[in-house]
Amino acid sequence: MRLRRRLSLLPLLLIGLGAAAAPAARAAEVRVLIGNSLPPYIIERENRGVEYDIVKEALALRGHQMVPHYVPFARIPVELERGTGDAALTVNADSGLRVCFSDVHILYRNYAISLASRGLRIEAMDDLRGKTIRAFQNARLYLGADFSAVTADNSGYAETANQQTQNAMLFAGRVDVVVGDINIFNWFNRTLPDTPETRQPVALHPLFEAAQYRVGFRDPALCADFNEGLRQLRASGRYDAIVASYTSSR
């Protein structure tokens, strides 16, 4: 009778164990498509950066190894469909990808930036009218219809892929405003000569909402695993330490 009773309980015990320990994604190399070398978020030549390190370490906490694959950003949807990568960085629901989007793992904070000494009053998008402006490449696409409209007929507006150049132009007084993410702006400031000109204080004009980005995963189980690793990274304080290591002032 005792033997029969123990055998009858065995299936219930196995079911209980299965429910308590739902399997995570199998530990594996994760091929991650990365579209831009954009310090301090992505530093391609060194395989590091704020965003790079966050994703790498969140995956590692769940037993996965990140393997970077750098491709032109516009090719990420194609390469993901081909199976070249298992995941893609710096994407969101507006990207049009058919993937599982992770929790938000990084924020980009774009500002209109001017020299404080100029005392420019820029409190609304319309205040940019008539000003000479340098912005990052494709800013009109990323920063919304209002920004696109206010700069459309501005002959003093231009976009540049070299954000170090736009910083230098601002400090030299060759443009009124530059538009870009504050961490990228500060990063490139550290690459400029350390002179009284480049140490001028700047004014930040918060015209734009913070841009939220996620990781897109082909495998929903891996997506859930990453979310758990990201949660652990934040809870431990390591997430904030990564951000601080790249964004502290010079």
Side-chain angles (χ1 to χ4, degrees):
M1 288 295 292
R2 287 182 180 177
L3 179 60
R4 286 182 183 175
R5 179 174 175 80
R6 287 174 182 169
L7 288 175
S8 67
L9 288 173
L10 185 58
L12 296 176
L13 290 171
L14 291 175
I15 291 172
L17 287 171
R26 184 171 57 86
E29 290 188 345
V30 182
R31 300 165 301 163
V32 179
L33 300 172
I34 305 173
N36 292 317
S37 181
L38 200 59
Y41 296 104
I42 303 292
I43 306 172
E44 179 179 348
R45 66 184 181 277
E46 300 175 16
N47 281 340
R48 68 185 185 95
V50 179
E51 185 175 2
Y52 188 104
D53 292 0
I54 287 170
V55 174
K56 177 183 176 181
E57 293 192 24
L59 287 169
L61 285 171
R62 304 297 292 167
H64 306 296
Q65 179 184 356
M66 174 174 158
V67 179
H69 286 257
Y70 296 97
V71 299
F73 195 78
R75 287 198 58 80
I76 282 181
V78 176
E79 298 300 331
L80 213 53
E81 286 286 334
R82 281 183 173 179
T84 305
D86 304 302
L89 291 196
T90 328
V91 297
N92 55 36
D94 296 328
S95 304
L97 300 176
R98 294 181 294 178
V99 293
C100 173
F101 290 104
S102 74
D103 295 338
V104 172
H105 74 290
I106 198 77
L107 295 176
Y108 281 38
R109 288 181 163 79
N110 292 300
Y111 290 88
I113 305 170
S114 66
L115 294 179
S117 61
R118 296 285 306 280
L120 297 181
R121 185 185 179 99
I122 303 175
E123 299 175 350
M125 207 69 76
D126 273 354
D127 294 331
L128 293 176
R129 293 190 186 279
K131 293 180 172 60
T132 53
I133 302 169
R134 289 297 178 275
F136 60 89
Q137 201 165 36
N138 294 325
R140 281 179 173 152
L141 296 177
Y142 289 109
L143 295 180
D146 290 344
F147 179 74
S148 181
V150 82
T151 57
D153 58 355
N154 184 347
S155 61
Y157 175 84
E159 297 176 356
T160 176
N162 187 335
Q163 295 190 57
Q164 182 187 52
T165 299
Q166 72 179 34
N167 285 27
M169 292 180 73
L170 178 70
F171 288 117
R174 294 172 57 192
V175 295
D176 298 321
V177 176
V178 298
V179 173
D181 172 84
I182 186 57
N183 290 324
I184 297 171
F185 178 85
N186 288 336
W187 179 272
F188 281 112
N189 278 354
R190 292 195 288 270
T191 70
L192 296 174
D194 187 10
T195 67
E197 182 180 82
T198 60
R199 288 197 296 270
Q200 295 179 83
V202 298
L204 303 181
H205 310 283
L207 302 180
F208 312 98
E209 296 290 332
Q212 299 182 340
Y213 290 106
R214 306 169 188 266
V215 184
F217 289 93
R218 298 178 68 204
D219 179 0
L222 186 56
C223 185
D225 229 18
F226 171 79
N227 284 341
E228 175 57 23
L230 182 62
R231 186 196 67 75
Q232 293 176 18
L233 200 67
R234 291 184 188 276
S236 70
R238 175 59 184 159
Y239 182 101
D240 291 336
I242 291 172
V243 174
S245 70
Y246 287 98
T247 59
S248 58
S249 60
R250 71 177 178 182

